[in-house]
Amino acid sequence: MQSARKTRLKLKQHKPRNPLVAPALQRKAGSHRAARKTQRQDQQRALQRELARSGG
């Protein structure tokens, strides 16, 4: 004989995601300036170029 009761599975409901976060992350929003690392690399290249020209 089968039981008349049915077992229900209860799942936790998660907080909904913020719909504005995903597009912001995809755009990689940030500073419009070159990074400090890039600036240092450019300066180092310029220095090496100058040294090569002057025969150093």
Side-chain angles (χ1 to χ4, degrees):
M1 194 162 130
Q2 290 184 358
S3 174
R5 296 181 191 167
K6 291 188 179 179
T7 316
R8 287 193 175 186
L9 182 64
K10 292 183 181 181
L11 299 175
K12 280 186 176 180
Q13 287 203 341
H14 296 285
K15 195 164 112 176
R17 290 177 178 260
N18 183 347
L20 302 177
V21 170
L25 290 175
Q26 289 175 349
R27 268 190 251 107
K28 302 279 185 179
S31 176
H32 292 280
R33 284 190 286 170
R36 288 184 181 181
K37 182 177 179 178
T38 307
Q39 291 173 349
R40 282 194 306 271
Q41 288 175 347
D42 290 343
Q43 290 171 352
Q44 185 66 25
R45 284 189 201 108
L47 176 63
Q48 293 300 325
R49 239 181 277 125
E50 287 295 318
L51 290 174
R53 280 186 202 157
S54 66

